[in-house]
Amino acid sequence: MKEMQEIQETLAIIKPDGIKNAIKIIEMIYKAGLTVKKYEVRMLDEEILKEHYSHLTDKPFYPKLESYMLSGEVILMILEGKNAVEKLRELMGPTDSTKAPKGTIRGEFGTDITYNAIHGSDSELSAINEINRFFNKKQKRI
Ligand code: DAT
Ligand code: MG
């Protein structure tokens, strides 16, 4: 039998195009059973983005992704709850907002594959690394 779902933390980023809908997005997060444990509103910079999107820096779309992520303030959030990593990914919908169902954050507030309103960690390990990266925790990186 599967154990009770564990309490996890995950990292969410409301991206520059999502800011105008931040209250609605946060409401959806709470309705899904997650809570905001810590948050910060700030601009990102090239260095942290290159680290965060290291799997994409060689892609032809990277310059567009970078300028979008630098185009305004973002809201960085540590979310907490049962099965938080998967729950947030489900609530976000797929990367391409045009393919995201209504009722998902990207389906409601994203525009396309670039302007997709929100980031969420894609695994427990990414969540730990990303929380360390953006909240500068002095914990050992895995
Ligand atoms: P996700 O954000 O769903 O985890 P990802 O990690 O593959 O997706 O990519 C990170 C971001 O990069 C994504 O939110 C938007 C951008 N991106 C990914 N694939 C793209 C593509 N084919 N064209 C344009 N932007 C893309
Ligand atoms: Mg990703």
Side-chain angles (χ1 to χ4, degrees), residues 50 53-66 113:
K50 280 202 171 69
Y53 286 134
S54 61
H55 58 303
L56 299 173
T57 48
D58 292 343
K59 304 281 185 197
F61 60 78
Y62 187 75
K64 187 177 172 188
L65 173 63
E66 187 186 70
I113 198 168

Side-chain angles (χ1 to χ4, degrees), residues 15 52-53 55-56 59-62 64-65 68-69 89 92-96 106 112-122 130:
K15 297 182 178 182
H52 179 60
Y53 286 134
H55 58 303
L56 299 173
K59 304 281 185 197
F61 60 78
Y62 187 75
K64 187 177 172 188
L65 173 63
Y68 156 54
M69 292 299 290
R89 292 292 298 195
M92 285 163 50
T95 309
D96 185 347
R106 285 169 166 170
D112 56 25
I113 198 168
T114 303
Y115 304 98
N116 61 9
I118 189 164
H119 166 84
S121 308
D122 63 7
E130 291 178 357

Side-chain angles (χ1 to χ4, degrees):
M1 275 261 294
K2 210 180 163 196
E3 289 287 304
M4 274 181 61
Q5 292 171 329
E6 59 173 317
I7 301 287
Q8 289 177 333
E9 288 183 352
T10 192
L11 183 89
I13 307 175
I14 300 182
K15 297 182 178 182
D17 65 318
I19 289 277
K20 59 184 178 295
N21 293 304
I23 291 181
K24 289 180 197 155
I25 293 172
I26 292 166
E27 190 179 8
M28 287 169 78
I29 287 169
Y30 273 85
K31 282 187 174 158
L34 301 175
T35 58
V36 178
K37 207 176 160 192
K38 201 169 181 182
Y39 75 94
E40 196 183 337
V41 184
R42 69 171 157 106
M43 296 290 293
L44 300 179
D45 59 42
E46 284 93 341
E47 194 186 339
I48 203 162
L49 278 172
K50 280 202 171 69
E51 208 185 305
H52 179 60
Y53 286 134
S54 61
H55 58 303
L56 299 173
T57 48
D58 292 343
K59 304 281 185 197
F61 60 78
Y62 187 75
K64 187 177 172 188
L65 173 63
E66 187 186 70
S67 62
Y68 156 54
M69 292 299 290
L70 295 176
S71 67
E73 287 173 323
V74 301
I75 306 179
L76 301 163
M77 299 186 288
I78 301 177
L79 305 184
E80 187 184 70
K82 281 183 192 167
N83 208 17
V85 173
E86 204 183 312
K87 212 175 253 181
L88 175 63
R89 292 292 298 195
E90 277 171 16
L91 182 63
M92 285 163 50
T95 309
D96 185 347
S97 306
T98 66
K99 297 192 168 68
K102 285 287 157 200
T104 65
I105 293 170
R106 285 169 166 170
E108 297 291 335
F109 307 117
T111 305
D112 56 25
I113 198 168
T114 303
Y115 304 98
N116 61 9
I118 189 164
H119 166 84
S121 308
D122 63 7
S123 68
E124 245 186 299
L125 183 56
S126 302
I128 292 165
N129 288 332
E130 291 178 357
I131 288 168
N132 286 344
R133 176 176 305 134
F134 288 98
F135 287 90
N136 209 14
K137 287 194 179 169
K138 301 289 175 224
Q139 287 171 3
K140 207 173 145 190
R141 290 249 175 113
I142 295 172

